[in-house]
Structure formats: structure tokens, C-alpha cells
Amino acid sequence: MTTPPDSPGSPLDSRTRPVSAAVWAALAIVYVVWGSTYLGIRIVVETMPPFLSAGARFVCAGLLLAALVAWRGGGPGALRVTRAQLGSAVAVGLLLVLGGNGLVVLAETAVPSGLAALMVAAVPMWVVLLRLTAGDRPPSRTLGGVLVGLAGLAVLTSPGLSGEVRLWGVLSVLAGSLLWSLGSFSSSRLPLPGDPFAASAYEMLAGGAGALLVGLARGEQHGLDPADFSTRSWLALGYLVLMGSLVGFTAYAWLLQSAPLSLVSTYAYVNPVVAVALGALVLGEELTWPILVGGAIVVAAVCVIVSTERRKRPVQLEG
């Protein structure tokens, strides 16, 4: 395994090498693109079924990424993996794409995109708790951040409890963020393909196929007429495939190799702020006090957790 980009002695040690303009540009892409995916999802599900649209998104993105890996690697051999690696990629893909992203897409038929983004921002907290159950001993400051974040989540769930938004939607986002956290946690312990792009292609294909099957099992295909899909839903789906799943991930993967992890990790608390701002500006989503107060608490808690854990590989939020 290579030395973490900002570890002492690394050629990318943040204390000895200035951050380039390319790094800032890639970081801006991750900030804006991944922050905007929640808005894109909300627009897609205005006229498209949730699981079928999510499945189509990730199957298309997975095929495009697989083609890119094969082209970059000189042929289909670049996608060759062992049976164990393929099994691990399928398991992680089902957790991340079907469970994590799929439930968030379903939830956004009932909850504002900004609220969904703020609740998903709690993923680093769940990962810390999973590490704790596995016998790891996170620093006390990290555990303090988790406790603060849980208080913020309690405030964020109040709209569901009070009836301002549908409770099942809030619970779906929570379940989705838990499954995404489990997938992120498992990915560091399973024998995944060495090429992160190849691994992500298999994960997208497996999770996308799983989402399509769930959509069919739910009967989302009954009475389905593509002519009823709005132009803006089609455009949003295309944006999610190309920008959210390909451009955003490529920029993120490049940053992991080219920038200090402490800098890359900042997207974890910038993305939800971007999502809330876009939801309010584009869709007119109301900024209620639970969203403002609870969101601020969660973002502050994630900031504490990420800054404490900055020498570890950052956990990817849903994008």
C-alpha cells in the first residue's frame, strides 16, 4: 500500500509542497458536483420511479467507467479480478448503491434534498461507531464529535416526528446512511480489486443491477411510460451519470493520490452545505429551524471527526 499523501516523509507532504491550482480545481468539482447530486436526485424522482432510475444511473455509469478502465489499461484485461475480489465488489456495491443510495433516492420522494444531504453527512459518525464495535479505539475527541453529531441528528429528525415531512422518508435516509457506512467500513476490510476505478465499476454495476431488481419487485414498471418523464428529469439523470458518478468520482480518486488527505476530507462537511443552498435556491426548499440548527450541529461534528481522523482515508459520502 502506498504512503498516505499527507503522511510525514511522503512526497506529497502538505507541510513541504504547496497545493496546486489543479488540486483546487478538482476539489471544487468534488465540492459542487457531489453537493449537487441531492438536487439532481430530487429532480429525477419528480417524474421517474426511484429504484429504476437509480439502477439505470449506476448501470450506465458502471458500463462507462468499465469502458474507461479498459481503454486506459490497454484492453479488457484491465478489468480482470479474482473471484474473491469480484465477490467483495458485489457485496460493497449492494451496500453502497442499492442500500445506501437507493434508500436515499426513495426518501427524496418525500423529504427535501437539503434535509437528506444533512442526514447523510452523518456517515463518518456511523463509521466511527462501526470501528468501535470492531475493537478499534478512536480518540476521545472523535467520540465527542459523534455524540454531538447524534444530537444534531435528533434535531434533524424532528420534522418527521412532528409531521412536517413524512417520517418514513426520514427513517429511509437514516437506514440508507447506515448501509452506506457499513459498505464504506467493509470496503477497507475486504479484498477489493487493486485498481479503484475497476472496483468502482463492478460496485456500480452490482448495485445498479440490484436497484433495478428491487424496482421491478416493487412494481415500479407497471403503468410506466417514458413519455411521462419530464425533460428536466432526463437532464438530471444524465447529469447524475456523467457528473455525479464519473467526473466527481474521477476527481475524488485523483485527489486521493495528489493532495493532502486533510484537504480532501473537507468535502465531507462542504457537500451538505452546497446541497442545502442548491435545494433552497433551485427548488425553493424551506430552511426551517431544525434544518438550520440540526444541520449546523451535524456539520460541526463531522468537521471535528474529520479533522481528528485526517490521516486516515476519508469516507466517501453519497455522490
Side-chain angles (χ1 to χ4, degrees), residues 99-113:
N101 189 274
L103 285 176
V104 170
V105 174
L106 177 65
E108 285 205 43
T109 63
V111 301
S113 62

Side-chain angles (χ1 to χ4, degrees), residues 68-188:
L68 179 63
V69 170
W71 172 76
R72 188 188 66 170
L79 293 165
R80 188 175 296 114
V81 294
T82 67
R83 183 176 298 179
Q85 289 173 335
L86 179 61
S88 296
V90 169
V92 171
L94 291 174
L95 286 170
L96 293 179
V97 176
L98 171 59
N101 189 274
L103 285 176
V104 170
V105 174
L106 177 65
E108 285 205 43
T109 63
V111 301
S113 62
L115 177 59
L118 288 169
M119 298 185 76
V120 171
V123 163
M125 296 161 34
W126 302 129
V127 173
V128 169
L129 293 178
L130 287 170
R131 286 173 46 205
L132 190 63
T133 61
D136 196 0
R137 301 286 296 183
S140 57
R141 186 170 179 229
T142 298
L143 294 176
V146 171
L147 292 176
V148 172
L150 290 175
L153 277 180
V155 176
L156 284 174
T157 56
S158 62
L161 297 174
S162 64
E164 295 177 27
V165 299
R166 295 180 182 177
L167 180 59
W168 71 261
V170 174
L171 296 178
S172 293
V173 178
L174 282 175
S177 66
L178 282 169
L179 289 172
W180 189 277
S181 303
L182 183 58
S184 299
F185 178 76
S186 301
S187 66
S188 63

Side-chain angles (χ1 to χ4, degrees), residues 8 28 33 45 51 67 103-104 110-111 131 136 141 164 213 230-231 242 258 271 288 313:
V33 170
V45 297
F51 280 100
L103 285 176
V104 170
V111 301
R131 286 173 46 205
D136 196 0
R141 186 170 179 229
E164 295 177 27
L213 290 175
S230 68
T231 299
L242 296 176
S258 308
N271 281 171
T288 61
R313 180 186 175 94

Side-chain angles (χ1 to χ4, degrees), residues 6-314:
D6 65 348
S7 62
S10 163
L12 296 175
D13 189 341
S14 61
R15 297 171 299 180
T16 60
R17 185 171 178 176
V19 177
S20 68
V23 167
W24 286 117
L27 195 62
I29 289 173
V30 173
Y31 281 169
V32 176
V33 170
W34 276 357
S36 66
T37 55
Y38 297 91
L39 172 65
I41 290 170
R42 181 71 173 172
I43 293 175
V44 165
V45 297
E46 286 177 347
T47 60
M48 293 182 175
F51 280 100
L52 290 182
S53 64
R57 168 194 173 183
F58 283 102
V59 167
C60 290
L63 289 173
L64 289 172
L65 186 57
L68 179 63
V69 170
W71 172 76
R72 188 188 66 170
L79 293 165
R80 188 175 296 114
V81 294
T82 67
R83 183 176 298 179
Q85 289 173 335
L86 179 61
S88 296
V90 169
V92 171
L94 291 174
L95 286 170
L96 293 179
V97 176
L98 171 59
N101 189 274
L103 285 176
V104 170
V105 174
L106 177 65
E108 285 205 43
T109 63
V111 301
S113 62
L115 177 59
L118 288 169
M119 298 185 76
V120 171
V123 163
M125 296 161 34
W126 302 129
V127 173
V128 169
L129 293 178
L130 287 170
R131 286 173 46 205
L132 190 63
T133 61
D136 196 0
R137 301 286 296 183
S140 57
R141 186 170 179 229
T142 298
L143 294 176
V146 171
L147 292 176
V148 172
L150 290 175
L153 277 180
V155 176
L156 284 174
T157 56
S158 62
L161 297 174
S162 64
E164 295 177 27
V165 299
R166 295 180 182 177
L167 180 59
W168 71 261
V170 174
L171 296 178
S172 293
V173 178
L174 282 175
S177 66
L178 282 169
L179 289 172
W180 189 277
S181 303
L182 183 58
S184 299
F185 178 76
S186 301
S187 66
S188 63
R189 287 162 171 76
L190 293 174
L192 291 171
D195 185 340
F197 292 96
S200 290
Y202 285 117
E203 290 167 8
M204 289 181 187
L205 288 171
L212 289 175
L213 290 175
V214 170
L216 293 174
R218 295 181 73 241
E220 291 182 357
Q221 75 278 14
H222 297 318
L224 193 64
D225 185 357
D228 295 332
F229 300 160
S230 68
T231 299
R232 73 185 220 150
S233 287
W234 278 115
L235 291 174
L237 183 61
Y239 177 84
L240 290 174
V241 171
L242 296 176
M243 298 300 293
S245 297
L246 290 180
V247 174
F249 173 73
T250 302
Y252 174 77
W254 181 80
L255 282 168
L256 287 177
Q257 302 299 321
S258 308
L261 287 184
S262 54
L263 182 62
V264 179
S265 298
T266 58
Y267 85 94
Y269 43 89
V270 175
N271 281 171
V273 176
V274 171
V276 170
L278 288 175
L281 291 173
V282 178
L283 298 179
E285 294 178 350
E286 185 179 0
L287 297 179
T288 61
W289 76 264
I291 290 179
L292 292 174
V293 175
I297 294 173
V298 168
V299 170
V302 171
C303 183
V304 170
I305 294 169
V306 169
S307 63
T308 306
E309 302 285 295
R310 64 184 179 276
R311 293 199 182 278
K312 299 181 182 292
R313 180 186 175 94

